C-alpha cells in the first residue's frame, strides 16, 4: 500500500489516505488497523457496494484474533465475534437495510456493547454517530461502473479525543 502522491500531513487533519490495489492489501490494512483498536472503539465504514468494507473487517477480525469467519452481516444485521484471547470482541454491523437512525439501532444494544467491544458499522453514516463522538471514519472510494479495477482510495479519519493523539500514518507503512 502506498500513500497518495499529493502531500498530506495526517497530524494536521487527523486523517490519512491510503491506496489499496488488491483485496489482500485491504485485509492487511484491516490487520494493521486492529493493532490500533481497543475496547470502546467505533469504526464506521462507508463505500459503494463492493468497495471492500467487509474485506477490511475480515482483516480487523484476523488482527483482533476473534472467533468465527467474518462475513457480511447484511441479512442478520449484526454478528458478534468473541475474542479467542484477552482482546475485545468484534461486533460487525451492516446498517444497509436499516432506514432509521439510532432509534432503530437501539434494538441491537450497541450502546451496551460499545464499552467492552470494537464495533464496526458498515453503512452507518447518519445512523450511529450518536453512540459516541469518538470514532474512526473509514471511507473507501473505488471506480464505479463496469470495471475490474481493484484500486481503492481509503481515507481514515479519527474523530474525538480518543483519536486526537493516534498516529494513523503508521497504517500506510
Amino acid at each position: 500500500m502506498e500513500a497518495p502522491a499529493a502531500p498530506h500531513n495526517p497530524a494536521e487533519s487527523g486523517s490519512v489516505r491510503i491506496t489499496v490495489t488488491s483485496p489482500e492489501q485491504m485485509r492487511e490494512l484491516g490487520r494493521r488497523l486492529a493493532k490500533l483498536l481497543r475496547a470502546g472503539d467505533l469504526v464506521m465504514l462507508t463505500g459503494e457496494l463492493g468497495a471492500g468494507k467487509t474485506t477490511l473487517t475480515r482483516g480487523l477480525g484476523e488482527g483482533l484474533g476473534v472467533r468465527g469467519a467474518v462475513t457480511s452481516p447484511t441479512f442478520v444485521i449484526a454478528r458478534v465475534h468473541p475474542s479467542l484471547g484477552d482482546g475485545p470482541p468484534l461486533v460487525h454491523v451492516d446498517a444497509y437495510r436499516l432506514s432509521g437512525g439510532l432509534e432503530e439501532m437501539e434494538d441491537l444494544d450497541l450502546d451496551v456493547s460499545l464499552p467492552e467491544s470494537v464495533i464496526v458499522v458498515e453503512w452507518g453514516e447518519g445512523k450511529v454517530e450518536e453512540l459516541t463522538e469518538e470514532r474512526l471514519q473509514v471511507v473507501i472510494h473505488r471506480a464505479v461502473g463496469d470495471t475490474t479495477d481493484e484500486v481503492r482510495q481509503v481515507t481514515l479519519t479519527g474523530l474525538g479525543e480518543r483519536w486526537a493523539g493516534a498516529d494513523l500514518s503508521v497504517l500506510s507503512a
Side-chain angles (χ1 to χ4, degrees):
M1 279 177 265
E2 54 195 67
H8 179 72
N9 185 345
E12 288 180 1
S13 65
S15 64
V16 65
R17 280 176 246 136
I18 299 169
T19 300
V20 175
T21 61
S22 70
E24 181 49 44
Q25 281 188 354
M26 187 66 79
R27 279 176 84 160
E28 178 56 30
L29 176 59
R31 287 189 286 268
R32 285 202 313 270
L33 176 56
K35 293 176 185 173
L36 298 179
L37 297 176
R38 61 184 185 216
D41 284 342
L42 172 65
V43 180
M44 287 179 43
L45 301 179
T46 303
E48 297 288 326
L49 285 170
K53 298 178 296 295
T54 301
T55 302
L56 178 73
T57 306
R58 203 168 282 131
L60 282 172
E62 292 168 5
L64 290 170
V66 299
R67 185 179 73 212
V70 175
T71 59
S72 179
T74 299
F75 296 103
V76 296
I77 311 298
R79 283 197 172 93
V80 177
H81 298 275
S83 175
L84 292 171
D86 59 357
L90 172 67
V91 178
H92 184 199
V93 179
D94 187 331
Y96 183 75
R97 298 195 186 291
L98 302 179
S99 58
L102 189 59
E103 303 81 38
E104 191 173 6
M105 300 289 285
E106 283 181 355
D107 289 340
L108 300 176
D109 287 331
L110 295 180
D111 54 337
V112 174
S113 300
L114 184 58
E116 71 269 358
S117 305
V118 169
I119 297 181
V120 177
V121 182
E122 297 184 28
W123 305 99
E125 195 169 8
K127 298 174 184 170
V128 296
E129 288 91 340
E130 294 175 31
L131 280 173
T132 179
E133 292 180 9
E134 299 184 339
R135 62 187 173 274
L136 182 65
Q137 291 185 272
V138 180
V139 179
I140 305 171
H141 292 283
R142 70 171 183 96
V144 293
D146 188 19
T147 180
T148 58
D149 188 359
E150 295 288 343
V151 175
R152 308 292 194 258
Q153 298 299 323
V154 182
T155 304
L156 299 99
T157 305
L159 301 172
E161 188 176 324
R162 155 69 176 102
W163 295 100
D167 183 8
L168 297 175
S169 67
V170 300
L171 298 172
S172 60

